[in-house]
Amino acid sequence: MTKMDEYRVALIVPLFCEQQDFSDMVVEYLGFGYIASYLRNKEILVDIIDPFVQKLTSEEVVARVLHGNYNLLGFTLMSSDYLNGMQKILNQLPIDFISNVHIMVGGYYPTFQKQKLFTVEPRINSLIVGEGEVTIAELVDRLRTKEDLRGITGLIYTEGNDIVTNKSRALMSEEELDRLPLPARDHIDTIIKNNGSIQILSSRGCFGQCTFCAVNVFYDEQPGRKWRSRSPESVVKEIEELVSNYNITYLHFSDEEFVGPGKRGKERARKIAELILKKNINIRFSMYCRADSVEAQTFEILKQAGLDSVFLGVEFGVQKLLDYYKKGITLEQIKKALFTLESLKIKIKIGYIMFEPTIDLDSFRENLKFCYENTKFTLRRVVSQLAVYPNSKAYWTLHSEIEMDEQMSFDRLFGDHYKYKFKHKKTNFLYRILKECLGVISPSKKYLEILKETSLGKREIMIKDWATDVYKMIDAIAATLILETNLSEENFNKYCSYFKNELLLWDSDKHKLAVVNQKRR
């Protein structure tokens, strides 16, 4: 390729650290890592610009874009926040520059908002739906030779005043995933320097059908198997290279679900562990998985290979809620998974939701009890609330059952979501009380004192006693509200005044809580 033929691509993650605490977990965007390595194999010049990781301001990003003399700017848009970041960059670029560069977007947000995005941001020239490696490579080939873009599957693009939607591109097969070059790690040194998380992707997609999640809907947009795995040999080869080239000692598998479905998924997971042990790779790692993926034989060898921590999607401690959202697991499976992981001394992080739009007070008490008896009981978890995401199946189910905002909202915790009112007024009453009152013991003086205990055994007993006290006070409020008929603001204020006083009195070092005394009598 001659200098004249060089085609330059900038892949930009439009998320900035200016308004965020950089101590947040810093990670590479593996999607662009895969795309960059795929394009570079085709002799296309690619730079990855990641403002959050590189601590760049929008002005610094603009300077790099202008200096790079790029032909194509590709933006990943995971939420409306990313869209705002992209527009912040584009607004600072000269008009003549924008008119001579191709602007492309991809990711979850464009895939779901493809009908609106060209109107919201008319400077976009094309939109990738679904997985992007092959589609972007074909797009660059056509742009470089000034050919028509029709026929590039997985692409939506503008042609004059028209928006042209090509056919969907099938999801990559497992064989195609194995043939992909390993992802570029352009910013890994910065990640390591900032104590960030080094990630690896051993599979794509999710086989679950949870209706509150938009991931399975994203993969429903394209034909093909929704969950596909790389071979154990390919995964372990990448681990070897990360350990050898960068002295990595800890990895996080960012798969939506690491183990995978059925017997085949467990066999693959065990094979990965066996290869790590056979090659004597010194690595520790964490993963996400479902409760029904946990069984002793598989997780024993994963533990031997370095498994340190599991994020387990429990979600609810009420069977009818698990069924309503099509989680596809039972409470017994959850308890068994927790027992297995605890027995193997594998750290557990739990996804748990206390409030969801249709929950009544009886179900809340059941959910609260399961949380108290089976998970780490925290004040934050007590007021956790289900986020209703755009295009999720739950959105369409709940839309006719509850009052929901027409316009999406955004925040750092939930991303883009719809605010709603609980179906049951008493649930809303309780939720407001807990949100209003629990802050008076956050942080809890008692809990801070417990953390000073040097004996680990004593500390665990004291933490459990602390959780018991908090659980009983919250459950008592919920039980009282079941019989309450006065849901006025005046009565709300009375409940809050009483509950705050009770919490503060309990949290005082000088006070012995009544429920504790009653329990021990």
Side-chain angles (χ1 to χ4, degrees):
M1 184 185 295
T2 67
K3 194 74 176 175
M4 291 291 290
D5 293 328
E6 284 183 353
Y7 197 91
R8 302 183 67 86
V9 174
L11 300 176
I12 304 171
V13 183
L15 186 66
F16 296 94
C17 61
E18 297 164 336
Q19 303 299 322
Q20 300 180 57
D21 182 358
F22 198 72
S23 64
D24 287 347
M25 188 60 75
V26 183
V27 298
E28 293 174 285
Y29 178 54
L30 282 182
F32 273 172
Y34 272 105
I35 290 170
S37 62
Y38 190 84
L39 295 180
R40 287 168 184 167
N41 268 16
K42 296 180 176 295
E43 299 186 340
I44 297 166
L45 298 173
V46 182
D47 290 322
I48 300 174
I49 302 174
D50 192 331
F52 188 79
V53 171
Q54 297 174 274
K55 298 185 182 180
L56 301 176
T57 65
S58 61
E59 291 79 13
E60 289 170 326
V61 172
V62 168
R64 293 191 181 205
V65 168
L66 292 173
H67 182 263
N69 194 30
Y70 299 108
N71 305 96
L72 183 148
L73 303 181
F75 293 89
T76 181
L77 305 182
M78 303 304 290
S79 68
S80 60
D81 196 35
Y82 286 71
L83 173 61
N84 294 335
M86 181 187 77
Q87 291 176 321
K88 193 173 185 179
I89 294 168
L90 296 182
N91 290 343
Q92 296 177 66
L93 290 170
I95 295 175
D96 61 336
F97 177 89
I98 290 178
S99 64
N100 287 291
V101 70
H102 188 94
I103 297 170
M104 177 213 76
V105 297
Y108 281 97
Y109 190 78
T111 295
F112 291 143
Q113 301 294 321
K114 53 184 175 288
Q115 305 302 328
K116 303 176 182 177
L117 207 52
F118 288 101
T119 302
V120 172
E121 182 42 79
R123 290 171 290 191
I124 295 172
N125 300 111
S126 66
L127 186 156
I128 304 292
V129 177
E131 296 172 334
E133 290 91 345
V134 180
T135 305
I136 294 173
E138 292 181 7
L139 173 64
V140 169
D141 282 343
R142 299 281 187 95
L143 292 172
R144 186 163 50 187
T145 56
K146 295 182 170 54
E147 292 182 55
D148 192 278
L149 304 184
R150 293 178 187 273
I152 301 177
T153 54
L155 185 73
I156 302 174
Y157 64 96
T158 58
E159 190 173 69
N161 294 323
D162 297 327
I163 297 173
V164 181
T165 301
N166 292 343
K167 290 183 179 179
S168 298
R169 181 178 295 275
L171 295 166
M172 286 188 184
S173 67
E174 294 187 336
E175 293 73 22
E176 288 173 314
L177 290 183
D178 265 1
R179 288 197 295 268
L180 287 175
L182 296 179
R185 301 277 181 171
D186 290 20
H187 304 306
I188 193 169
D189 290 335
T190 304
I191 302 288
I192 294 169
K193 180 181 177 182
N194 287 282
N195 297 315
S197 174
I198 305 303
Q199 304 199 59
I200 184 172
L201 195 63
S202 80
S203 64
R204 293 190 183 184
C206 184
F207 59 90
Q209 296 298 319
C210 312
T211 60
F212 54 76
C213 180
V215 170
N216 51 50
V217 180
F218 175 83
Y219 287 101
D220 282 342
E221 293 279 331
Q222 305 112 70
R225 285 174 55 190
K226 307 310 175 192
W227 187 88
R228 295 136 297 134
S229 63
R230 293 167 57 193
S231 67
E233 292 77 13
S234 171
V235 174
V236 175
K237 177 186 175 184
E238 184 175 2
I239 295 173
E240 278 189 294
E241 291 195 8
L242 288 168
V243 171
S244 174
N245 296 338
Y246 303 104
N247 296 315
I248 300 302
T249 59
Y250 200 103
L251 287 170
H252 174 65
F253 282 93
S254 56
D255 308 43
E256 299 290 348
E257 212 285 348
F258 172 79
V259 176
K263 179 181 177 182
R264 179 174 173 270
K266 293 179 177 65
E267 287 174 349
R268 185 194 79 112
R270 290 197 292 270
K271 181 66 174 178
I272 290 172
E274 289 166 1
L275 287 173
I276 291 173
L277 292 167
K278 181 180 179 180
K279 292 173 179 288
N280 198 29
I281 302 172
N282 184 22
I283 191 71
R284 294 165 67 231
F285 54 91
S286 59
M287 66 171 69
Y288 301 108
C289 79
R290 289 167 53 92
D292 53 353
S293 293
V294 177
E295 52 89 32
Q297 182 186 4
T298 300
F299 278 76
E300 281 174 6
I301 191 167
L302 285 169
K303 168 75 173 180
Q304 293 171 31
L307 177 59
D308 172 64
S309 175
V310 169
F311 184 95
L312 195 69
V314 171
E315 319 311 352
F316 305 105
V318 182
Q319 190 61 53
K320 71 177 182 180
L321 293 180
L322 293 171
D323 296 342
Y324 181 82
Y325 290 101
K326 293 182 169 51
K327 183 67 182 174
I329 57 175
T330 66
L331 294 178
E332 286 308 309
Q333 286 175 314
I334 293 170
K335 291 177 182 178
K336 184 178 179 182
L338 291 170
F339 176 80
T340 299
L341 295 174
E342 287 167 0
S343 299
L344 293 170
K345 293 182 170 53
I346 296 170
K347 297 172 189 169
I348 310 170
K349 297 178 181 177
I350 290 176
Y352 203 89
I353 304 165
M354 193 62 67
F355 286 88
E356 59 81 41
T358 69
I359 197 167
D360 58 25
L361 293 188
D362 287 323
S363 293
F364 168 82
R365 294 183 69 196
E366 186 180 344
N367 207 23
L368 184 74
K369 183 178 181 183
F370 189 93
C371 180
Y372 161 69
E373 292 178 343
N374 297 280
T375 80
K376 182 179 179 181
F377 193 79
T378 66
L379 296 177
R380 180 176 294 180
R381 187 164 287 167
V382 167
V383 291
S384 58
Q385 182 180 354
L386 179 79
V388 177
Y389 292 113
N391 291 85
S392 66
K393 293 175 183 176
Y395 167 79
W396 299 109
T397 302
L398 291 165
H399 197 268
S400 60
E401 286 196 48
I402 61 172
E403 187 177 335
M404 196 182 308
D405 286 356
E406 291 297 323
Q407 297 296 320
M408 281 190 295
S409 299
F410 175 86
D411 62 43
R412 299 287 179 198
L413 178 62
F414 291 141
D416 292 300
H417 66 288
Y418 290 98
K419 292 183 178 179
Y420 57 84
K421 291 184 179 179
F422 293 105
K423 182 177 181 179
H424 302 285
K425 291 182 179 179
K426 289 185 179 181
T427 302
N428 185 63
F429 200 80
L430 174 64
Y431 181 77
R432 289 177 61 205
I433 290 171
L434 296 180
K435 288 284 284 186
E436 174 77 20
C437 298
L438 290 180
V440 301
I441 58 165
S442 183
S444 164
K445 293 177 183 178
K446 279 184 181 289
Y447 198 88
L448 294 177
E449 285 299 314
I450 290 170
L451 295 181
K452 295 177 183 178
E453 172 59 54
T454 55
S455 167
L456 181 60
K458 285 184 179 179
R459 190 191 312 159
E460 288 179 350
I461 293 170
M462 293 166 73
I463 287 174
K464 188 62 177 178
D465 284 346
W466 178 92
T468 299
D469 292 349
V470 176
Y471 161 70
K472 287 193 172 186
M473 286 188 287
I474 294 171
D475 185 62
I477 286 283
T480 301
L481 285 177
I482 290 175
L483 302 176
E484 181 62 73
T485 57
N486 181 3
L487 302 182
S488 68
E489 280 300 303
E490 181 181 3
N491 209 28
F492 170 78
N493 292 330
K494 287 180 180 178
Y495 268 95
C496 286
S497 177
Y498 164 79
F499 195 39
K500 282 181 182 178
N501 288 336
E502 182 183 32
L503 291 168
L504 288 169
L505 188 60
W506 165 80
D507 205 34
S508 169
D509 292 336
K510 300 176 182 178
H511 180 68
K512 282 190 175 181
L513 183 65
V515 295
V516 177
N517 292 334
Q518 291 167 7
K519 178 185 72 172
R520 292 174 178 169
R521 279 204 290 266

